[in-house]
Amino acid sequence: MSQNSRTVKVGLIQMQVSADKSANIKATELRIREAVARGAQIICLQELFATEYFCKTQNHDFFALAEPVSGNTGIWAQKLSAELKIVIIASFFEKRTEGLYHNTALVTDADGCLLGIYRKSHIPDD
């Protein structure tokens, strides 16, 4: 390795979640803090980490879980990134506008800025 190269530690977090979004986010934050204590600088969360994975079926009740990028989950990720000086990749159910939903991954930088988003539209119709 050259003198300019450096090792970056990635923390991958996957866990069982419940129907309680708030409790899932609190449990995720605890695991993020544990990973950072072990040296992780980039944290990648599981798909739809704050909710149960509902994409196996289509149920209109789940649309109530959707939020904009600037919603509570995005704000939480940005604040935690800035506090811990880490990058977070967080997947959540995004509502862009009425009738337009995505399984979105947002990426926050170590200063809390939103680096970017990746939207996918594979949530099944049946």
Side-chain angles (χ1 to χ4, degrees):
M1 294 186 126
S2 72
Q3 288 181 321
N4 292 335
S5 64
R6 71 180 239 222
T7 302
V8 176
K9 290 190 176 185
V10 177
L12 305 175
I13 298 175
Q14 186 161 357
M15 60 186 203
Q16 187 173 10
V17 296
S18 70
D20 185 339
K21 188 175 181 179
S22 178
N24 296 333
I25 290 173
K26 286 179 185 175
T28 299
E29 184 171 329
L30 175 65
R31 284 172 176 80
I32 288 172
R33 290 180 183 280
E34 290 170 352
V36 169
R38 292 185 195 130
Q41 299 157 293
I42 299 172
I43 302 291
C44 184
L45 303 178
Q46 70 198 38
E47 188 172 14
L48 302 177
F49 79 96
T51 62
E52 293 177 306
Y53 188 82
F54 58 85
C55 300
K56 295 176 252 177
T57 61
Q58 187 177 55
N59 179 337
H60 290 280
D61 293 341
F62 293 128
F63 287 99
L65 297 172
E67 60 183 288
V69 170
S70 61
N72 291 336
T73 302
I75 292 168
W76 166 82
Q78 288 182 280
K79 285 182 179 179
L80 193 58
S81 285
E83 176 192 337
L84 299 176
K85 310 250 184 292
I86 57 169
V87 172
I88 296 177
I89 304 164
S91 169
F92 72 104
F93 189 35
E94 178 192 7
K95 179 180 180 179
R96 273 175 82 180
T97 187
E98 196 59 44
L100 187 56
Y101 298 86
H102 299 281
N103 180 343
T104 297
L106 61 84
V107 182
T108 59
D109 203 354
D111 63 1
C113 289
L114 182 64
L115 283 177
I117 54 175
Y118 171 75
R119 295 179 172 121
K120 59 183 177 177
S121 300
H122 79 288
I123 297 175
D125 294 327
D126 54 1

